[in-house]
Amino acid sequence: MHKSLGRVALRGRVGRSVRYASTTSEAAPAHSIPTAPSTKYTSVTHPEDASSISPPVKTFLDRANKYILPVYARPPFVLSHGKGAYVWDTEHRKYLDFSAGIAVNALGHADDGLVKVLGREAETLSHTSNAFHHQWGPKLAELLVTLTQKEGGLGYEAGSLNPPVGEAHGAKVFFSNSGTEANEGALKIARFTGKQRWAAKAGKTWDDPSCDKYEIVCFEQAFHGRSMGALSVTTNPKYQKPFEPLLPGVKVGKLNQTDGLDTLITEKTAAVILEPIQGEGGINAADMDWLRKLRKRCDETGAVLIFDEIQCGLYRSGTLWTHSAYPVECHPDIVTMAKPLANGFPIGAVLMRNKIAEPMTAGTHGTTFGGSPLACALGYYVLSRLSERAFVSNMTETSTYLQARLSQLPKWFPDILLPTVRGRGLILGLGFKDASHPGKLVNMARERGVLVLTAGKDAVRLVPSLNVGREEVDLAVDVLESCLGSLSQS
């Protein structure tokens, strides 16, 4: 970072001046942090009003409305292709993508190496079902386990390679097709483990009808998926109400609230599931002391602790897992993953400690498509790239710069923004005082060529590709600043 003692205006790519610091008459290096907000605001370059929709786009939208189930609210344009951090629509308009397919495209769009792997493996063996072995499943599973042991997770201290006390060395992986399916698998595995633990304690068999260890604990503002089990632990009335009754035995707590943990998690609790950093719920991070007490309570009751790292894991928070940066007494028994694992090709996974995997035998869980040769080959390639030290170092530098730039915005727009930037790494959020503003800002930014997302009721979410550059950071934050400036005048 460079000290900002002055301002030099250079013509930016978003139609207004971009400030760079200067301590002398010479221009300072690019990417210095601006010291004051701009007074020049970007104009609409990607309009979405009805008059701007061309006949070909209208024809496409009419076809979509006629034949596709209307469960998504989408803007009125059609994406055609992408490269790196950018996408283009059929009208040849360019967008900077700071949504990355909802935190999926870790390597950006149309990554050259990924395209080569995709073509090579599609010509070789794309699907076998899980009735047969193939070479890529074990390779990807081994990489997930060994990276976790090396970088920290599931009870391993980063760099120690020592297994958790009293446990057999290693962990196991189950491959699914999505994050929702990974969470469904984790909940099933945790329930079966709960029955086994109850049986061992009660001196009965796990299938005894008197077994009452089946309850699941989740937390407010969580998002774990939309299938019936995952939906049951996604505590948003908008998502749940139309599909009730849901899975029985679900109890809901509040993230970071210690009071009441003893009554929330009891001997009847089979599983506790949470996101270390809530994504859809507003970029809310779990507190370390609270996690330590939560882990202790799970151990006391024999509950399986599940961390849903589908959005915050696989280096998005700056480390392999968000919990890789935690002390081992805050680690889970199971971690679920999906979004960036194959950079957009469908795959998910459940990674669990060996003691959790022990009850699972042939037929206790399964999938037709999960862990296909093609998906696992792509996952192996992506994870190998993401785990390179140079890649992680570059991502850390970029995220530090992005956070520094974002941290100026609440100072400049205190009437609009809450004072603290939320999140870690490249899963970041701006909190708003007025709940109507996040949606407005997302629309305004999109009409100025930058794609961002809302999160929860009060936040705008930034989850760009993990290889995004500083120039893209400047462009995105300049547009956000411009939108905030316009909101402040409205």
Side-chain angles (χ1 to χ4, degrees):
M1 308 289 180
H2 304 279
K3 293 182 179 179
S4 301
L5 302 178
R7 297 173 66 190
V8 176
L10 299 178
R11 200 62 202 160
R13 301 191 309 184
V14 292
R16 72 161 177 82
S17 61
V18 181
R19 289 90 51 223
Y20 296 98
S22 176
T23 56
T24 67
S25 59
E26 296 179 358
H31 311 302
S32 297
I33 304 301
T35 58
S38 173
T39 57
K40 298 179 180 179
Y41 301 137
T42 55
S43 59
V44 171
T45 54
H46 300 56
E48 296 178 2
D49 57 278
S51 63
S52 70
I53 300 174
S54 68
V57 171
K58 185 179 184 304
T59 298
F60 178 92
L61 297 178
D62 289 345
R63 182 182 296 120
N65 290 334
K66 184 176 181 179
Y67 294 110
I68 294 179
L69 192 68
V71 294
Y72 303 108
R74 293 185 271 212
F77 58 84
V78 183
L79 294 179
S80 62
H81 65 285
K83 188 65 179 177
Y86 294 90
V87 292
W88 287 259
D89 67 15
T90 54
E91 302 296 294
H92 311 293
R93 298 182 300 186
K94 182 180 180 181
Y95 297 82
L96 173 60
D97 186 4
F98 255 56
S99 68
I102 314 183
V104 167
N105 302 114
L107 299 176
H109 297 277
D111 176 77
D112 292 341
L114 190 82
V115 171
K116 290 179 181 178
V117 174
L118 181 61
R120 182 191 71 211
E121 295 304 319
E123 288 183 337
T124 305
L125 191 66
S126 60
H127 175 73
T128 63
S129 88
N130 285 295
F132 304 98
H133 288 290
H134 63 80
Q135 63 175 330
W136 285 110
K139 288 182 180 179
L140 178 55
E142 180 184 29
L143 185 59
L144 283 165
V145 171
T146 55
L147 278 175
T148 299
Q149 292 168 346
K150 177 183 176 183
E151 302 193 22
L154 293 184
Y156 286 83
E157 290 277 12
S160 71
L161 297 181
N162 293 320
V165 176
E167 290 190 28
H169 186 76
K172 295 291 188 295
V173 177
F174 175 84
F175 290 115
S176 64
N177 301 290
S178 68
T180 296
E181 287 186 25
N183 283 336
E184 290 283 355
L187 293 172
K188 283 182 64 179
I189 293 165
R191 270 211 169 164
F192 196 20
T193 298
K195 288 176 180 287
Q196 300 276 349
R197 290 176 174 176
W198 174 88
K201 191 172 183 178
K204 299 181 180 181
T205 59
W206 65 264
D207 56 349
D208 190 294
S210 65
C211 177
D212 60 358
K213 195 174 183 65
Y214 63 85
E215 291 183 351
I216 300 170
V217 169
C218 62
F219 297 92
E220 292 181 359
Q221 296 179 279
F223 184 90
H224 299 294
R226 298 178 194 259
S227 57
M228 292 303 286
L231 180 62
S232 299
V233 292
T234 296
T235 58
N236 186 326
K238 179 177 71 172
Y239 298 148
Q240 289 187 336
K241 281 292 183 184
F243 309 104
E244 293 177 343
L246 301 171
L247 199 68
V250 174
K251 297 169 70 175
V252 182
K254 291 185 177 181
L255 195 74
N256 297 328
Q257 181 173 296
T258 300
D259 292 344
L261 276 183
D262 288 352
T263 54
L264 182 68
I265 303 169
T266 69
E267 294 294 332
K268 294 183 179 182
T269 306
V272 176
I273 185 169
L274 64 100
E275 300 159 272
I277 301 175
Q278 291 180 335
E280 305 294 325
I283 318 298
N284 308 306
D287 176 75
M288 201 71 64
D289 288 337
W290 179 76
L291 284 173
R292 187 176 287 107
K293 293 172 183 176
L294 184 75
R295 171 77 268 181
K296 183 174 182 289
R297 185 57 181 161
C298 287
D299 290 339
E300 291 170 349
T301 60
V304 175
L305 181 56
I306 303 166
F307 279 6
D308 173 346
E309 297 223 25
I310 290 162
Q311 186 160 165
C312 63
L314 294 171
Y315 296 100
R316 179 154 292 280
S317 62
T319 49
L320 172 61
W321 308 116
T322 301
H323 77 271
S324 295
Y326 300 167
V328 293
E329 60 267 25
C330 299
H331 284 199
D333 300 301
I334 295 176
V335 58
T336 57
M337 71 199 79
K339 287 182 178 291
L341 186 54
N343 208 66
F345 195 90
I347 188 173
V350 187
L351 175 65
M352 68 207 81
R353 301 187 193 216
N354 270 345
K355 66 180 181 181
I356 304 300
E358 287 173 0
M360 302 300 290
T361 57
T364 50
H365 196 44
T367 170
T368 297
F369 293 103
S372 71
L374 184 53
C376 288
L378 292 169
Y380 186 87
Y381 172 80
V382 171
L383 187 55
S384 297
R385 284 273 303 277
L386 298 183
S387 60
E388 292 173 353
R389 292 304 90 196
F391 187 99
V392 175
S393 176
N394 182 72
M395 191 201 78
T396 300
E397 290 179 6
T398 304
S399 68
T400 299
Y401 179 65
L402 174 57
Q403 290 177 62
R405 284 223 54 188
L406 290 176
S407 68
Q408 298 289 81
L409 299 181
K411 301 173 187 176
W412 297 342
F413 304 99
D415 295 336
I416 297 177
L417 295 176
L418 295 171
T420 304
V421 176
R422 303 175 187 175
R424 241 177 70 188
L426 288 175
I427 176 169
L428 300 171
L430 292 171
F432 286 72
K433 294 180 177 180
D434 184 337
S436 71
H437 279 162
K440 290 180 181 178
L441 186 136
V442 167
N443 292 341
M444 292 172 67
R446 192 174 61 240
E447 288 196 307
R448 289 155 178 80
V450 174
L451 307 180
V452 291
L453 302 164
T454 57
K457 297 178 180 179
D458 69 343
V460 164
R461 179 177 16 161
L462 291 88
V463 283
S465 303
L466 300 186
N467 56 357
V468 70
R470 288 194 178 197
E471 289 186 5
E472 286 76 34
V473 167
D474 280 332
L475 174 56
V477 180
D478 286 346
V479 168
L480 291 179
E481 179 193 329
S482 177
C483 295
L484 289 165
S486 296
L487 277 177
S488 69
Q489 296 181 345
S490 62

